Amino acid sequence: MRKIKHLLLTFFLSSGVQGANAPPHLHWQSADGQQGIDIGGALRANYRYEDWNTSRNRRQPHLRFDTFRIDTSGHADNFFFDSGFWFQDQRKYAIDRAYIGYHFNPDQQIQIGAPEKPFGLAPYPQFGWSYDIPFYLGFAVNSGLGAKYRYRANNWTFEAAYFPKMLPEGVRYAPDVGYYGELKGTTYGPHHLQLNEKRDQLNLRLAREFDSGSWHSEVGGSLAASRLYNHRSGDNGSFWSSGLHARLNNGPWQLSTQAIRYAYAAKNPAGADKDTILMGTNGLSPAYLIPAKATTAALNIARDVDVDLGPISKLRFYDDYSVLWKDKGSWDDSQMNTLGMQLFALPVMFWLDLTWAKNANPWGGALNATGWNSTQSPGSGKWYFRSNVNIGYYF
């Protein structure tokens, strides 16, 4: 009975704010610390303005529901689990991770289910609320169905993962390759001959941390490869990508950067465009085509400012820039830049993003329908602007 009382007391006391730097959440832990569970999440809304004529957020921008997220994690002896479920606008839902794991020792673990793919900057590729170009190419916050091994010791982190299949299209949080029969929002004719799917993907990521005085940094490299199965021809093409990344921290200053090279070689049926690959998520945004071969890079910088303004404890000012260089010479590059500020008033967080983008489908909508690839739509080659205010309550 004494142990049960201790568990209940721990659970309710931990429902409050966990210090100045943590949102409130529900926490349960046994008296010996060998079992525990955490439940948290966020409720977020957006206020958005977009400057292109076809946007519903141009003439009457107003506050809209963004997402309700539930995060759960826990452990029992050497076993653990972690998951993130999203209930999004337009009645969509998504999974960004969902796995169980086992600690072989303090340095090594394995995760099975839908772990995040180890690749590049982690856990997020940018500082702002708006994702940058690598995210739209499938290189961030992306999970698959499979297993991941992780080793972390002596400032080294090594991760190896195998994914027989990708997450089902209907529950994807991050975009990945999909085929026309399953993806939502395939509204354009060229989509209909895109019938590829990644299978048997292998990811490797190695990173090394360094500390010198006030400097803390990380450098690393990543590799990924998979089969590219075509549902009409029945043939297997291939996919590979490689990347280098770095993080530099010095006091309030943070800088992150990465460069990624990728290539798809699809075995398409007659009539399909070999120079493009179809990407999509759960239908929250329309599916879109990207170049089959390209190089992308990002450079992000942020500065934190500690303040004492009532509930506001910190401001973060940031600028995220990314670019996509396409192998096909007649296709213009894509660029994106987000200038913004994040406000910490936990349990509330607030972002203000000012984003300019060129040849990027989310900026320009139907006007920029070919933005990631051929840049032949009416909006190609033009800079579009979007301001986005996101406010969230985190628990």
Side-chain angles (χ1 to χ4, degrees):
M1 180 62 69
R2 180 180 300 174
K3 184 175 182 179
I4 294 176
K5 289 181 179 179
H6 176 83
L7 298 179
L8 293 175
L9 182 62
T10 303
F11 181 87
F12 286 110
L13 286 179
S14 298
S15 300
V17 176
Q18 304 297 298
N21 297 316
H25 66 287
L26 300 176
H27 175 69
W28 176 95
Q29 182 170 293
S30 62
D32 58 8
Q34 295 301 304
Q35 292 88 34
I37 187 170
D38 283 271
I39 301 174
L43 176 63
R44 305 193 319 208
N46 276 331
Y47 184 89
R48 180 177 295 175
Y49 169 78
E50 298 170 333
D51 72 349
W52 51 94
N53 292 331
T54 57
S55 172
R56 66 173 181 171
N57 296 310
R58 176 179 173 85
R59 294 174 181 83
Q60 294 180 329
H62 59 274
L63 192 68
R64 297 177 182 273
F65 169 74
D66 174 27
T67 188
F68 176 66
R69 190 183 82 221
I70 294 291
D71 298 314
T72 58
S73 63
H75 66 278
D77 299 320
N78 289 333
F79 290 93
F80 63 94
F81 73 92
D82 192 13
S83 66
F85 294 89
W86 299 66
F87 301 88
Q88 298 171 303
D89 190 16
Q90 304 175 34
R91 299 181 180 179
K92 305 298 183 183
Y93 55 93
I95 299 171
D96 69 4
R97 68 197 186 280
Y99 57 83
I100 59 172
Y102 181 80
H103 290 285
F104 297 107
N105 54 51
D107 302 332
Q108 300 181 76
Q109 63 175 247
I110 190 170
Q111 304 170 7
I112 299 174
E116 296 170 346
K117 297 178 185 176
F119 198 97
L121 290 171
Y124 295 102
Q126 80 294 316
F127 293 112
W129 182 87
S130 300
Y131 284 112
D132 62 0
I133 291 176
F135 171 81
Y136 292 100
L137 302 175
F139 296 113
V141 203
N142 199 337
S143 299
L145 298 176
K148 180 168 73 174
Y149 166 82
R150 189 170 192 261
Y151 169 86
R152 180 177 173 85
N154 301 318
N155 293 323
W156 286 95
T157 300
F158 172 71
E159 295 171 296
Y162 170 65
F163 303 98
K165 298 198 70 175
M166 304 304 100
L167 275 179
E169 288 83 352
V171 295
R172 288 181 183 172
Y173 174 75
D176 211 330
V177 174
Y179 65 98
Y180 171 74
E182 294 293 333
L183 285 178
K184 307 296 183 182
T186 49
T187 57
Y188 300 98
H191 294 172
H192 299 180
L193 293 175
Q194 292 282 337
L195 300 159
N196 296 295
E197 175 191 1
K198 285 182 183 176
R199 292 186 180 179
D200 298 317
Q201 180 164 327
L202 176 66
N203 279 58
L204 300 173
R205 183 180 185 272
L206 180 66
R208 176 74 158 86
E209 296 180 36
F210 300 89
D211 289 291
S212 177
S214 61
W215 288 91
H216 176 75
S217 57
E218 178 189 280
V219 296
S222 304
L223 295 171
S226 75
R227 289 192 297 134
L228 199 60
Y229 176 74
N230 190 278
H231 282 262
R232 179 168 297 177
S233 69
D235 295 328
N236 289 304
S238 63
F239 157 77
W240 67 266
S241 62
S242 61
L244 297 173
H245 75 271
R247 292 185 185 275
L248 299 172
N249 294 346
N250 188 350
W253 289 97
Q254 303 176 65
L255 183 145
S256 66
T257 184
Q258 65 178 341
I260 299 168
R261 173 67 181 170
Y262 73 88
Y264 292 90
K267 299 290 186 179
N268 290 320
D273 184 2
K274 67 178 182 180
D275 294 320
T276 60
I277 291 292
L278 185 63
M279 301 282 288
T281 57
N282 59 357
L284 186 65
S285 299
Y288 52 90
L289 296 168
I290 65 169
K293 296 180 180 180
T295 301
T296 185
L299 179 64
N300 317 305
I301 189 168
R303 191 185 194 283
D304 293 344
V305 178
D306 293 328
V307 297
D308 185 9
L309 300 173
I312 304 173
S313 60
K314 184 171 70 175
L315 301 176
R316 173 173 292 166
F317 300 92
Y318 52 82
D319 189 84
D320 301 324
Y321 173 77
S322 54
V323 62
L324 175 64
W325 297 292
K326 305 156 191 178
D327 278 24
K328 196 163 182 177
S330 59
W331 295 357
D332 294 332
D333 299 336
S334 298
Q335 298 181 67
M336 184 181 298
N337 193 82
T338 297
L339 178 68
M341 180 191 72
Q342 184 179 3
L343 182 152
F344 296 80
L346 293 173
V348 173
M349 283 200 288
F350 169 99
W351 283 264
L352 169 62
D353 281 359
L354 306 175
T355 304
W356 293 263
K358 181 172 70 170
N359 298 325
N361 290 5
W363 280 258
L367 294 176
N368 214 352
T370 62
W372 295 123
N373 54 81
S374 65
T375 61
Q376 296 299 313
S377 60
S380 296
K382 299 178 181 179
W383 286 96
Y384 289 103
F385 170 73
R386 184 181 87 181
S387 61
N388 190 89
V389 176
N390 186 274
I391 184 169
Y393 178 84
Y394 289 76
F395 59 91

